[in-house]
Structure formats: structure tokens, C-alpha cells
Amino acid sequence: MAPDMQHRAVANGYNAQVNLPRRTPNIGRRLTFNLDDNTPSHQSSSLTTPQPLRPNENTPAFQQQPFINSFSVGRPKTAITPNGRTPSDLSIVHVNNGVTNGIKQDDGLNGQSKDPASKALVRTKSDFGPRSQSPAVGKSGVEKTGSEDDGWNMRHGWEDEYASGEYLQLLHSSFYMYFTDKRHETGGNPKTITESDQFQEWRMKDRLKTVSAALVICLNIGVDPPDVVKPNPCAKLECWVDPTATTSGATKVMEQIGKKLQEQYETLSIRTRYKQYLDPSVDEMKKFCVSLRRNAKDERILFHYNGHGVPLPTQSGELWVFNKNYTQYIPISLHDVVGWLAGPSLYVLDCSHAGNILHNFPANVDRHERENQEVRKREPTAQLQSFSDCILLAACGRTETLPTNPELPSDLFTCCLTTPIDIALRYYLLENPLPAGITMEEFHVPGRLQDRRSPLGELNWIFTAITDTIAWNTLPRGLFKKLFRQDLMVAALFRNFLLSERIMRAHHCHPMSIPELPETHHHPLWQSWDLAIEMVISQLPNLLEGEAQRRPYEYMHSAFFSEQLTAFEVYLTQGATEHNIPSQLPIVLQVLLSQAHRLRALILLSKFLDLGPWAVNLALSIGIFPYVLKLLQSAAQELKPVMVFIWARILAVDQTCQNDLLKDSGYQYFISILSPMNVIPVGNASEHRAMCAFIIAMFCKDYHQGQVVCLSPELIEACLKHLLDLDNPLLRQWSCLCISMLWVNHPEAKWVGIRCLAHQRLCELVLDPVPEVRAAMLHALTNFLGIPDVTDQVAQIEESIASSVLIMTTDGSPMVRKELSVFFSAFIKRYENKFLVVAYEQFLEERDNYLHPPVDAMGATDHSIFSPSRSSPPRERSSLNDLVSRNTVFASLWKQLLILSVDPFPEVKRDAGIVVDYIHEALLQSPLSDLAQSAIDDIVRLSRKQNSSKGNITEAPEPPPSTNASPSKQHTESRPGYLSLGLKRTASVAASLRNLVSGNHASDRDSEPASSPRRLSQDITSNRFSTPPRPRAPAEWTRPPEALDHTTPSSSYRHADVPKSRNFKDRDMKETLIIPLESRFFEWSAEVNIIVHLKPNPKRIYTYFAPFDKYFREPQMKPNEPDEPGSADYNQRLWRRVRNERIIADNQPLKVAAGSNRWDNATGFMNNGSQPVKMCFHQFEDHLVTADDRDGVCVWDWQRQIRLSRFSAANPPTSRITGARFINEDDQALLMLGSSDGVIKLFRNYDSPSKVEIVSAWRALTDMVPSNKNAGLVFEWLQGQGKALVAGDVKVIKVWNAATEVCTLDIPARSGSCITSLTSDQLACNIFVAGFGDGAIRVFDQRMRPHQCMIRAWREHKQWITNVHMQRGGVRELVSGSRNGEVRLWDLRLAQPVRTFDVLKGRDGTDSQHTTLRTLSLHEHAPVFSAGLSTNTVSLYNTSGTLLSSTFPYSRSLLAHHYGRSHQQPILSTAFHPHRMMLAVGALGDLHVNLFSCNGLKGGVLDGTDGARALEGGGWDTVG
């Protein structure tokens, strides 16, 4: 036997390096694989970056083959080529103006990552990619065994290519996961907003200003109060003035102190009106307090009280002042003071025992509130003062005395609050004495507080940042917002209050406040403050000499801010989470004031905002918005990229910023960047322009003023020009949505668009390769409809738009079709009267089809509402010839809408059904209601008559399938459809549509007349539980093998649940129908992310990488969760990689023995509950999927013999599942099902009954050709290219691209017969082979032109091709089998078969003329194939033609006892496991699945997963 060459090139292939970047809508999930020959397959080895190589272009199989240059660095930008080909075409080139994360590219072909951060998880790939060589691999790269000689040749001449290291490295360099993009995970619906994602109000709606301040100073200089004993020496300075150091009178000194205190407060708030009250009397006190409140109205008042010259506050909180003659101290009750000042007020109490005032303050406020309540009861309309929102700052506790240290000022608390830098420096010097030469009096720091470049100004800047940060990290969020963001005066005083707590605690005083603050004196940032002071003091001598101009000296600025930015950067790189908020965020905002650090701070800030809505809310609440709003006035080019990103993040969370953008014309900042004429210094300007389009769209959304100011032909022209940017789908998408938002309810903008021909240029995107772009185009065209004056010009334009988008009903993306339903609803609503006529005439045409059924080419009648492939006999149709809607866009659109109403995707079906029902309901309420009701009644009557006539003809013991019990009816037709006297959709238009779109016009049992030859044949042979009928000739060999098989009757069929799409909400039939439908595409798109990497460049050119499918509201700069080492997803993928490698390594040695041993070791027996017709094994999971003869799907764990789940594929009645495949098997696989109605569906979580969901569904075949030799739909999945080859009862082979979700190629089948099977080369994915119903086999090369794709045709077979299959591994055998038992082995280079076998020859006691080959299966690696016969026998052969064994299902022996030996049911389905030596078998009439393994092997099946058991020995033992 020739050695095995897997699709990965060798059995134990290359160690695969996985790099899963952000999933994009134009490509699947990308996996990058590395060669690592020196690493054992079981190790998670070095994570190096692959070196892409140019392939050997002389290799025949590679000619015309595009190639991928991939890098496992960051998240590369994906460029789509102009012809729309994507990675599935192997034509993606990752480019970014020649730079990819700093890696220089050479024509986009070669590059090596130097970034160690780009390492990715090493894991396996399936047979769709190569592996590293195992010790058993020879020089040619092909695995060899000891029993093989070195002279073997691989089939088709591929051994030379697969031995090429360059070619193999090219093939394995990139690997994509498909149908895993965000549109598939969300169904195109906006995600549910979590609590952390919800918008949190950050604006201060109750912002206050301290408009007035009373500076009350009670010193009575020269006279000490009676209860105060001062030591000698003691503190003397008041407001840095020594009252004893001047010969001026006490009055002059008091005035000097009062003036100094006012100046100190003015540094905090210059706009506050200050009034000094020096040694006031009681009457003066009352007078100015009442006056202040009257003038301030509802604003805040500052009351500063210095009581150093009066007695201490009493226990009840009384304050002391003087009488008019200054002969007595007069107490004032706190109740009176509170009543005079009311609220809101701010009290600063600088006196000993100040805690007494603070302690009694709440009680006095409550007393006033109670008095107000009593007054309100007596006089409800009385004007009352508010006493809420009062803030108190007290210097010390109730029994504490102010410090008397002569080195400190007497009003230490006031100095801390008003001159924090001076007192902080003095405090530091007291704690850390200066070197000799500078006295305390001579000490001062040069500069001004307002100049941040001077030493003193920088210290003030650092102090503000530190105190803000301490408060941010210590205070509750609400309290921080109130004290530090509501009022500038309050914020400044509370910053300085934190310093007073630190300094005064060192002197045994504990400042107090209302509201109470937690302790902050021990916060570690105070050490940074001490370091900043020390850095200044260390330069002080030189600074003083420089100030005196003795010698020049340049001040060395503090490294505080750069170090804090570094700490913030470390936080961002070490797993920032919502529960671990950054302590440096207030400092980052302060750094924005510095031009030197601004760019770095903005980049770090953008990375923080990237963490999600919680980060945006956090930044907004701390005060980012005024900074970034002001920076929009900056013309600095280097700030534009990061500013655009930050604003995109903000608008994605908070749309209320529209007014702010409008106020200062900030929107112009983004319009200018969006213009193609504006050159911006970035490596990928398209991404930034896409962000600008998003910002403008959000600015215009639900904001008419924004639409008005943005409206200009230049903006629309810029967006239209960006539609031609084929390299950036995101820019195209948001250009469409930007235009769309301009058009919403804005007729003037629509006329500007007409003058720019915007509608025509948008319609050119109907075949755009990116589904999101196509959906965005439809969104824009939907909003274009609705110009108030429907002139002839407007009507003509709108009709041309409708006709242009009709082709999109065949789009493969459910999201696009859902958006198309919204467009149809808007168009139908606008021309509702015309569609009422169209719907009525449709009923007339349908009734006519029942009265005069059109006849197809096979002589069968069809009752579908429109049958393009049918011809009608001459008859009177004068009434229909006069239909006013015939050949109009309205009729065409209505029929396309009817097709969408039976769409395979639930959401599309629901939305289109709403529109159809709305029109039918309106029709029954219109003047045409009587005529319409009459037509409907006729249709119902004729339909029932036809069904009853069919039932009378059928004499079979088992009734034909009944639509009344079909899964579709059970789940979708039990609700009213047309809202007309209980008329169900099954009885009207949609019933015919289901017959039409199912593709079963002639094969559907219920749609055929009694005289149909096929129907009569089915009736005669409906009871197949006995010996098969014997025709006169083997003509039945030209029919499908299952043509005469009966299906499970509806009465005995057990229906399963139908999976829905994610976030699907079923229609409430009680709700009133409203159109147009509401699109949610814009909201979904607004979550899409656009930027990944922000990195400053020495040349000030900043490069950003933009994947297309992440959220504005979700992290984008950090790796995906699966790419993070240590994460749960990462570990799961690592485990799967090891498991996959072990399964392959354990089973590859068994393939040699499998070609010479018997295969009759029964290893499993499972009751499927329904007839298994199609079966498919997962490569690595212990999953076996079976599809029955209707729409049921069962998923089995064959190891444990447990059914994991069962669900319905929701096929229309009389259709069946014709194919099942797994995709993305290396990771989390999806299940792909094809059905005979031309539909392909994909399911995720298929093994969980509660979690199974439909991912995508589309009608892959739209023009099913009627035939009495019906194959339905057959397909082949190409994982390497992300394509699905689809064929069947059609004249072409359609190539569907999974990345673009459109049909990219129609290859003529070159035959009038149906295609019965497809197979392909799973390595390069270019060559595929099709078997036909007439016995022909044709080979196609999809790299060539469509009409030249067929490169070979074999016609040795004369009967129906049962199957044709090419091995993934082994020697790549290509095997075909026809119904008459002929099996042939082919080589693509030869015109004749390599070998020919007759698997029916020599059967004992059987007539080979009446024995047919029902199934043919080929093992992917072992040289073994199975032949399932109509005699209930499965024969296994090796590829040399040697019969290895013949066996039969276990149930045969049981049935023989009941029916006798003559009872033989044909084998209906067989399937090999891709790696294990295992075969699954199912027979007609038997609901069981039989598992067989190869004898002579240790266990027969070697397990590659934990907990599995090896299967030993013969008999009927099964695995539990």
C-alpha cells in the first residue's frame, strides 16, 4: 500500500501555530500555522512566526494559484482585491502601505515578525492543512512504513508538489475559521446592554458656583481671649502676616490680614465676590449673612470664620463675636448662623474646638427643616429657604487646640486651604532641614503658580494631580463627583483639605468635614509628593543663583508625570479589568495640559477607553470631556489619529455629545479628515476616515441640527468616493451609513444626493464582497425613500433602485436579506395602493394556476404562483393578460417578497411575513376586499379539492406525508397568515411558494397529479417492507438509489424542536401590523470596532491596524480571549490541539492493517428513533450526526452510545436532508446541512439540545430543474478556501464563498443530467470531481474560466453514480461507483480507470441484475472502501479489489426471525470515521445505527481522548 499523504501533507503533520486575530466580515477566523520540525507533536513548543515563502510556480497544481502572505503579528488589515476575491480564494494580502506592525514588506510577499508579543497558541489542524513530520516521515514529506518500498507513486502526479517544502509551507501558512464573525454570533442584532455597558450620566446637571464669600476674622489683636493660654514663643503669623512685627495700629494690621486672606482665596477662585468682615459685631454678622444669601439666591456661599481672637466655640456649637464697643464677647447660636446663611453654603472653621460646631451642625439643619415643614403646613405657598447641601471644613476636633509651633503660622488650617504649596514646602523643611546657608525666611521657590514650566508652577501642577488622584482612589464615586467636579471653589478647598489632614495630624490635630472623608494622610502618593519637593529643593541653590542672574541654569523638570504614565501603561498591559480601576487616571488627564506629554497621554487614554463602555464612563466621570473637546481646536497633525479614535469611543457610548460638537463646530474637525483631499500623516488613512464617517453618522443620528450643518455636496461626494476604496470595507460601510444618517427624514439631503447620483453609485454595491457593506448600502437606500413630493422623477428613481436590489434576494447573508426586507417594507409602504393591486392580481393568477395547471417538461403539473420553467397549454387567459401589474417592478418585488416570507432563516422569514400579512390585511379592508375574498375562497376550495383527489388515488397502506403534521406547519403555520377568516398560509400563496422554492416540483409527492408516472410508481411500490419489485429491465439503475424508498409517515414521525437564531424573538400575532419595519443594523454597526494598534513613531507617523468586526464598545487593542495565554479559551484550544494530534498519531499506524483485515467487529448499536439516511463523523470529537428521511437530526456520542441532542432542520414538507458536513473541525465545529429544497443551513452548539442555534441559512440552489431522476442538492465543503460547491438538479455547479456569502462562480455542468455527488482535492481545493445521474464523471478546475473549467470527462459508467470520492490522505485515491455495482479507481492524468471492480459479481444466491449498489464510502486514509448493497449487506474491499469482509446490520438477524430469511432491506447509508478504523451503517426500515471496526487491531479503534476505552475483540460487545 502506498504511504499516507494527508491533506495536511503528512500524517503527523507540521506543528501548527494558531493565530486567531479579530474575526472579520470578509474573512473567516484566521489561524496561522508554523513549521517546527524539531518540536514533538505533544509539546506546546516555541511560538515562532512563519516565514511565508513564494510557491513553486512551476508546479502544475499550483499554476494560476494565488497565494497568501500571512503574519502572526497583531491583527493585520485585510485587503480585498478588486474582483472581490477573499482569503477563501487564497488572494488576501495583508498590507498597510508596506508596513505591518513595523515589519517591512517586500511587495506584500515576504516578511518576518520580530515582535515577541506576536506569539500565538500552537495547535493542530485537521486534514485541511499540513503537519510537522513525524519520525516515520521520509525525505519527500510523505509518511512511510516499514512494509512499503520507496518506489510508490501518489495518484494524479501530486507527489512532487506535496514533497515541496515551499509548497507545503504555503498551503499551511494560513487557515481560516468560517461563519464565526460577529454577524454570525449576534445574528446582526445589537447585543444586550449589560449594566456596565449602560450609559452613566457624567454631566453635572446641578453644577453650582460659589458666587459670594464672607471672610470673618475675629482676632482682636493685642488682646488674648480669656480661655486661651498661649505659650511663649508661639505661632504668630496670620495669613503669613506677623501682627507683632509692625508698628502700625491694630486696624491697619487687621486690614492687611484681611486683604492677604482675600488674595489667597482669589488664587482658588477669581470670580467669587469676597467681602471682609474684620472683628464684626452681632448685628453686623446678621446683616451681612442675610445680605449674602439674598444676593446669592440659590448659589453657594463661602463662610470663612477665623476665631483666634475670641473664646472657644461652646459645647452647643456657638460662635463668638464682639459687641459694638469691643468690650464684650457675644455668642451667636449656630441655629441663627445656619438660618441666616441657609444653603447651599460652605463653612471654613479655623479655630480651636471647631469640632463642636461641626458636631452640632446637622441637628440645627434638621431643626430648620422641621420649621419649614410646619410653615408649609400653615402656608403651602410660602417661599422657604433650603438648608440642604451644606459643606463644613473644621480645623480640629471638639477638644483639640490648634498647633502653636512658632515655625508654623497661627492659621495653619487656613494656610493649608489657601496656600498649599507654601505650607507644604515649610512642612517639608521642618521634617527635613536644609543644609547650612539658607534660612527659613530666605527660602522660596522661583516661578509663578500659573506657569507650569516654572519650578513653583510645576509643583502646583503635581500637587493638583496628586490630590485629585488620592481623592479618586479613596472617595466613593458619587462623593468625588460632588466635591471635586461640581464647584471649582469646593474642589480646590477639598484638594487642599487633604494636605491639611496630613500636616495637622503631625501636630496632633484631626481636621474634620461634612461630608466625612476617609483618612488619606497615609496614601502612598504623598511619597511621590515628597520626592517632587526634594527634586526642586536639590536644585534650589542653582535656581536662586540663576534667578539672581549670577550664572545661567536650566531647570530640570520633574519626571513625575512620565513615571506615572509608565505606571498607567503597565496597568494597561497587565490585564486591566473593570474591577481593577487605574489609580493614575486623574494624573493622565492632568498630563493632557502639557504639550510635551500630551501625545503619549492621549494614546494611553485611548487604550484605556478601548477596554469598553465602563472605561469610557469612568473617564467621562473624572472629567476627560472638556480636555478632548478643547483639543478639537488644535491643528496638530499628530493628534488627529488618536483624537478621532477617542471621539469614536465617546460617541459610541454617549450620543448626547452632539450639542457640544455643534457648539464649537467640532464636527468640522472630522469632516476635514474624511475628505479624500486632506492628507493625514498616518499609515492607514482609510481607517481614520472610516472612524470619521462613524463620528459624523453618530452626530447626525436623531439630530436634525447636525444633519443641517453637515449637509454639503462635498461631504456626500467624499463618502461616495470612499465607496471605491476596495481595500477597506469598513470605510465603505460607514460611508454608506454616514449618507444614510444624512438622509433620514431630511428631504434636502436626499435632493443633494440625487444631484450627486448617490443612489446610482450606492446600487453598484449590490455585489460587494463584504456583507456588512451590502447591508449598509440597503440601509442608506431605505432612508433615501420617502421624498414628500412623489414626482415622476422621484418615482422613476425609486423604482430603478428597487429593480437594482431585487437580485439581493439570493444573497447568502441573512443579515443582508433581513435588511432587504426592511427596504421592501419601506418601498411597499410608500406605494401601498399599487401593491394592493399586485397582491389581488397575484391571487387571481394563483387561482388560474389551480384551474389551468401549467405543465412542465416531464408532463407533471405545478401549482406554484410563478413557474419560469413551465409552459402552459393554449387556453383562455384573457383576464390575466389584462393584469395591470404584469411586467412591472412592483410585481417582481412582490414575488421576491413572497420568497423571503418562506426564507430558511427565521428572522428573514418573520420580517417578510409581517409585510406580506400587512398588505393582505389592507387588501381585505380595501375596496377590493370582496373580489379578493372571493379569490381566496376559490383558492382554498380548489386546494382542498386537489388534496382530496390525491388522497383517493393513493392506496398505499402508509399514507403519504401530510402537510398538516409537517414540522414546518407545527412550528410556523399554526398562526394566522393572511388574517382572512382563519386562512392559513399553507392554503394560499406561501403553500405554492414552498413547493417552488423546495425544488421538488416533480418529485414532491403532494404536488404531482395522480397520472404522474413518478406518482404512480410511488403508489405501487409504497409498501417496500417486502421483497423489492422486479422490473423487466435494469432501468431503475438510472434512478436515484432511494427513488423507491418509502418515507416515515407523518403519523409515526416524532417531530423535534426547531433551533432559532441567536437573539431571535418570535412574532406576536396579537400585535397590530406596522410597516415599514425598523432596522437595527445601524445600532449593530455602531458596536463595530475599527482600530487596533496605537504606537508613536519617531517620524510622527502613526500606524493603526483595523480589523473589521470588533466593537466600538468592546476591547480592541488587547488580544482576543482565546489568544491570551492562560485564559480558559486558550487552554481549551491547547487541549484540543494535543487531543487532535494524539488521535491522528494513534490511528495512522492502523491504516496498513486495515487494508488486509476483516471489518466485521461490531462495536456499537444505537437506536436512532428515525430512519438514518445521512451520517457523518466528526474528525476529533466523539460525535456522529445522523439525518433521517424527513428533517430530523440526531447527534450521538458514539463512544458512550448516548444521544446528545435531536433537533429539526425545519425543511419544507416532502423535502429531506441530502448532506451533512462538519466545518471548522479543528476548533469548535459547526454543522452544515444541505436539503433537497436547495437550502444550506449551519448550526452551532449542535450537541446541546438547549443551546443549539442556527448560524446561517441560505438558498444555495434557486433554479431547481424538474426531473424524474431527482438528486436534490449535493454539496462539498472546502475548508482550505472557505467555499461550498453546490450542485444537484441544476445545470451549473455553484461556488459559494463563505467569507463573502455570495455565489462567486457558476460553473456549467456540461450535462443534461443531474449531479449526484461531488468530491474535491481538500489540500489545494482547486480540483473537484462531479458524478452524474447518467453515469458520467467530470473533473473541473475552478482556477480556470467558468466555461473552460471542465478538464476531463469519463463515461465508463453507464448508470447512476452512487458516489465519487477522493481521499484526503493516503495516496489520494479517487473512487467512483455506479448503481450496477461497478467501482472504478481513477487517475486525473489518465483517460481510463486505473482499476475496475464489480462488487455485485459472484453473489451466492442473488441475481446481480436486481441487486444494486446503494452506498459507496471511502476511508480518508486507509486503502479501504465499503459497498452497501440492496441485499442488506455491507462489503468492504481494499483498493486492490480484494474483498476483506461482508457483514450486515445486527437488526437483520432480529428481523429474520420475524419476517423470515427472505426479508432483506437495502443498506441506506454508510460512513467511515475520518481517522479511526470505524464504519457506521444504516439500513432501510431499520431505525438503528450499526458501528463496525477493523479486526486484528489492538482495540480496533484507538482512543485519543481521556476516559475512552479501547475496543477489544469480537462478538457484539459495545462501548458503554
Side-chain angles (χ1 to χ4, degrees), residues 587-630:
I587 298 177
V588 175
L589 298 185
Q590 286 291 326
V591 175
L592 295 180
L593 299 173
S594 169
Q595 190 170 359
H597 301 290
R598 182 175 296 158
L599 179 59
R600 184 186 177 197
L602 285 173
I603 291 177
L604 293 177
L605 180 61
S606 65
K607 290 183 178 181
F608 176 70
L609 298 181
D610 174 68
L611 298 177
W614 67 268
V616 177
N617 286 323
L618 208 59
L620 289 174
S621 66
I622 203 174
I624 178 184
F625 190 75
Y627 294 84
V628 296
L629 182 63
K630 187 67 175 178

Side-chain angles (χ1 to χ4, degrees), residues 7 179 256 397 402 467 617 777 794 873 970 1042 1111 1147 1215 1219 1279 1503:
H7 172 50
F179 296 101
Q256 186 179 0
L402 295 178
T467 51
N617 286 323
M777 177 270 296
V794 172
Q970 177 183 359
E1042 67 277 8
Y1111 284 139
N1147 286 276
S1215 66
Q1279 182 74 40
D1503 182 24

Side-chain angles (χ1 to χ4, degrees), residues 1139-1184:
R1139 177 204 60 184
N1140 298 352
E1141 293 286 356
R1142 192 169 68 180
I1143 289 176
I1144 294 178
D1146 288 349
N1147 286 276
Q1148 285 301 319
L1150 305 180
K1151 60 190 178 186
V1152 177
S1156 57
N1157 290 349
R1158 296 179 60 83
W1159 282 68
D1160 54 4
N1161 182 27
T1163 56
F1165 185 68
M1166 299 172 290
N1167 185 358
N1168 195 59
S1170 58
Q1171 178 68 68
V1173 176
K1174 299 293 179 181
M1175 295 187 293
C1176 180
F1177 280 100
H1178 192 290
Q1179 287 196 69
F1180 305 114
E1181 301 286 351
D1182 297 332
H1183 294 166
L1184 170 64

Side-chain angles (χ1 to χ4, degrees), residues 135 262 351 362 461 539 612 646 692 749 753 762 858 989 994 1043 1327 1335 1426 1443 1455 1459 1492 1511:
Q262 180 174 336
C351 59
W461 185 24
Q539 303 179 65
I646 290 175
C692 290
L762 285 170
M858 303 306 300
V989 180
R994 285 197 176 90
I1327 304 295
S1426 68
L1443 176 64
L1455 296 174
Y1459 292 99
F1492 297 94
L1511 302 180

Side-chain angles (χ1 to χ4, degrees), residues 1340-1452:
F1340 300 86
D1341 188 340
Q1342 59 174 311
R1343 294 169 295 184
M1344 306 181 71
R1345 296 179 181 274
H1347 291 281
Q1348 300 174 351
C1349 281
M1350 194 190 78
I1351 57 177
R1352 186 172 295 281
W1354 295 306
R1355 294 182 174 82
E1356 273 65 23
H1357 290 290
K1358 303 303 180 184
Q1359 286 79 31
W1360 181 282
I1361 298 298
T1362 300
N1363 192 21
V1364 58
H1365 189 81
M1366 179 183 292
Q1367 284 184 317
R1368 297 175 183 174
V1371 293
R1372 313 304 301 284
E1373 291 284 11
L1374 175 61
V1375 178
S1376 65
S1378 58
R1379 184 164 182 170
N1380 64 348
E1382 291 182 354
V1383 176
R1384 304 179 189 272
L1385 274 62
W1386 305 92
D1387 191 303
L1388 297 178
R1389 299 167 294 179
L1390 305 178
Q1392 299 297 323
V1394 177
R1395 293 190 183 94
T1396 301
F1397 319 121
D1398 186 353
V1399 298
L1400 305 182
K1401 186 176 181 181
R1403 298 284 165 188
D1404 296 336
T1406 61
D1407 185 353
S1408 61
Q1409 182 178 4
H1410 296 92
T1411 302
T1412 57
L1413 176 64
R1414 296 298 303 265
T1415 68
L1416 177 70
S1417 298
L1418 175 66
H1419 198 280
E1420 298 291 358
H1421 305 289
V1424 176
F1425 67 89
S1426 68
L1429 308 181
S1430 59
T1431 57
N1432 200 237
T1433 303
V1434 180
S1435 299
L1436 284 102
Y1437 295 81
N1438 61 24
T1439 52
S1440 299
T1442 303
L1443 176 64
L1444 301 178
S1445 64
S1446 292
T1447 187
F1448 53 85
Y1450 176 57
S1451 58
R1452 173 176 170 179

